[in-house]
Amino acid sequence: MIAQYGFSATLTARPGTSGRLVDLLLTGLNEGSPGDSEHCVVYLVSRSASDPHVVHVTEGWTSEEDHHRVFAGEAAQAIVAQIDGLLAKEPEYTDHVPVRGKAAF
């Protein structure tokens, strides 16, 4: 499948919670979670090289509609609810229209 919609999110964790934030975001790859969906073709969690409190998430989806539908589900909402308590400020989002690339983990 090819990603037709994507976004990057920059999340700033409260001091002492960035490890928990990364672990929680990675549960998004578990079976039944959003990143496990056939419609999610890219799900990358990264730490900032310059700020230990900053975590980046990059996602690519088959369509914006698929992303919204999957994220309206129970599994995604449970993760989102837990993330909010770990953040020092509102996440920053940048939307993307993927052109071409490669993902191998």
Side-chain angles (χ1 to χ4, degrees), residues 4-102:
Q4 300 293 323
Y5 168 77
F7 69 90
S8 297
T10 299
L11 301 101
T12 303
R14 289 186 292 117
T17 66
S18 63
R20 288 195 335 225
L21 178 59
V22 167
D23 290 343
L24 180 58
L25 289 167
L26 289 174
T27 67
L29 292 169
N30 293 349
E31 186 174 332
S33 292
D36 183 50
S37 166
E38 65 181 326
H39 302 288
C40 180
V41 296
V42 176
Y43 188 92
L44 175 64
V45 177
S46 306
R47 288 182 174 271
S48 168
S50 61
D51 186 336
H53 304 298
V54 174
V55 177
H56 302 282
V57 180
T58 303
E59 297 184 25
W61 291 81
T62 51
S63 72
E64 185 173 0
E65 294 77 22
D66 290 333
H67 170 262
H68 291 302
R69 184 175 36 74
V70 170
F71 264 79
E74 242 178 82
Q77 290 304 305
I79 293 171
V80 169
Q82 294 176 65
I83 287 172
D84 287 342
L86 301 175
L87 299 181
K89 64 180 189 175
E90 288 293 315
E92 298 171 25
Y93 292 93
T94 303
D95 62 339
H96 303 279
V97 177
V99 176
R100 186 172 178 199
K102 178 180 177 179

